[in-house]
Amino acid sequence: MKLLSLLALLTFSTYSKAITFEVIGPCEETPIYTGEMEINDLKKSIGQISVELFQKYNVPFIGNDVGMNSILNTPTGLDAMEILSDETMRSHGWCYSVDGEIPEVLANEVWPNTKKTHIKWFFGYSYYDRGEWYGYCELTNKLKPKQFCK
């Protein structure tokens, strides 16, 4: 019986993954939220895991496993646009990275790839100038726009 319990424990630990996360807002350089969780369902995407983590740690969010529209009550849509001139603007929104890399797909299309995975959600922007978009998920907190940061 002890052998079966030991075997079950070894099997469980072999197939579980440690997930850590952090949320960095539009104005702060340090994380506002951090946490961790073990997952045993290896079929869960980064998006599904993020939703579970946000619920577990009471992080206010609007979104789902595909992506986040708002975390920490940040503005969405037109309110997330920073108009700089008639021809230039910054569009802000939530981005994520997994183990330091920013995937170019939605959060429901990425899975943890190591036994220990780190997910970072951060407020980022792209820059629009005369019909062209520049940058991808640049850190908003480096700019600290007045419309987000008091």
Side-chain angles (χ1 to χ4, degrees):
M1 190 57 111
K2 288 185 180 180
L3 181 60
L4 283 176
S5 296
L6 181 59
L7 185 59
L9 180 62
L10 288 173
T11 303
F12 172 77
S13 63
T14 301
Y15 292 104
S16 66
K17 291 190 182 223
I19 305 292
T20 57
F21 87 103
E22 63 184 317
V23 176
I24 299 177
C27 307
E28 301 77 19
E29 293 184 22
T30 58
I32 297 170
Y33 285 93
T34 61
E36 61 184 75
M37 177 173 73
E38 284 283 322
I39 62 163
N40 301 313
D41 183 352
L42 303 182
K43 295 179 183 173
K44 287 185 180 179
S45 69
I46 293 298
Q48 291 169 308
I49 294 166
S50 294
V51 168
E52 288 181 21
L53 282 164
F54 292 168
Q55 291 170 340
K56 176 180 178 180
Y57 286 94
N58 297 314
V59 178
F61 74 96
I62 299 170
N64 55 37
D65 66 321
V66 174
M68 297 295 146
N69 296 327
S70 178
I71 305 173
L72 309 169
N73 302 311
T74 53
T76 61
L78 293 176
D79 293 333
M81 301 288 181
E82 183 185 7
I83 307 303
L84 303 171
S85 74
D86 288 346
E87 299 175 324
T88 60
M89 70 172 182
R90 292 186 191 105
S91 178
H92 298 267
W94 285 95
C95 301
Y96 73 100
S97 68
V98 178
D99 297 328
E101 299 291 324
I102 300 173
E104 293 185 14
V105 296
L106 300 171
N108 67 331
E109 299 176 50
V110 179
W111 285 263
N113 53 12
T114 60
K115 292 226 12 125
K116 185 168 183 167
T117 297
H118 183 73
I119 304 167
K120 180 194 304 188
W121 283 92
F122 61 95
F123 208 57
Y125 71 91
S126 291
Y127 180 73
Y128 179 84
D129 184 10
R130 297 181 193 112
E132 297 290 328
W133 285 99
Y134 300 95
Y136 174 71
C137 288
E138 302 293 327
L139 290 167
T140 297
N141 66 13
K142 299 290 183 195
L143 302 173
K144 296 181 179 32
K146 290 180 182 175
Q147 73 188 68
F148 307 120
C149 306
K150 306 283 186 241

